[in-house]
Amino acid sequence: MADIIIVLILIVIAVFALKQTKKHMQGESPCCGGGSGSIKKAKEKHLDGPVMGTKIMKIKGMTCEHCVNNVTNAINKVPGASAKVSLKDNEAIISYDRELSNIELRNAVEEAGYKVVSLS
C-alpha cells in the first residue's frame, strides 16, 4: 500500500514538472529571475543624437521574454546605444549615436549572463 502512495505522489510531481517545463519553454512562466511571471517590456531608449549606424549582435542563452528584457536593458545602459532584441532570431540590433566599442557592448551582454556569438 505504501508503494502505491509513493508512486502516485511521484506521478503527481512529474505531471506538475512537465506542465511547468512546457510553460517555461513557451516563455509563459517566470524564469531567469522573472519573478511572478508577468513580463514588463523593457523601456525603449531614444538616443540623444542622430543615429550614426547599427550593429548586429548574435546572442546565445536567451530562452524567454525576460531574457530579452535583460539583454535590452544591459545594452541600453551603454551610453549612446539603443537595442531592439529578438528572441526568435537570437539577436540584438543596436543603434548608436556615437562610436561604440564592440568590447563594451559584448561586456554589457555577457555581464548580464548571456553569450555573444558574433558582433558586426
Side-chain angles (χ1 to χ4, degrees):
M1 183 67 174
D3 291 339
I4 293 173
I5 292 172
I6 291 172
V7 169
L8 289 174
I9 290 171
L10 290 174
I11 289 172
V12 169
I13 291 171
V15 168
F16 178 75
L18 288 172
K19 282 184 177 182
Q20 292 303 314
T21 300
K22 180 181 175 190
K23 286 175 75 174
H24 173 79
M25 297 308 250
Q26 293 173 338
E28 297 172 0
S29 71
C31 74
C32 318
S36 66
S38 60
I39 299 172
K40 292 182 181 178
K41 284 291 254 182
K43 289 184 181 179
E44 188 173 328
K45 180 179 174 184
H46 297 284
L47 298 174
D48 295 332
V51 174
M52 290 178 58
T54 59
K55 297 182 181 213
I56 297 175
M57 178 185 287
K58 293 290 187 178
I59 304 163
K60 188 175 179 181
M62 295 188 301
T63 59
C64 66
E65 285 301 315
H66 185 71
C67 296
V68 168
N69 290 336
N70 283 343
V71 171
T72 302
N73 290 332
I75 294 170
N76 285 349
K77 285 181 185 174
V78 176
S82 175
K84 295 205 184 292
V85 180
S86 168
L87 178 62
K88 180 181 141 210
D89 298 327
N90 289 315
E91 72 179 15
I93 299 175
I94 305 164
S95 301
Y96 54 92
D97 65 1
R98 62 193 80 164
E99 288 301 319
L100 294 177
S101 158
N102 285 354
I103 294 171
E104 184 177 18
L105 293 169
R106 179 181 297 271
N107 287 343
V109 172
E110 290 184 349
E111 284 173 12
Y114 304 91
K115 174 86 173 123
V116 176
V117 178
S118 67
L119 178 57
S120 57

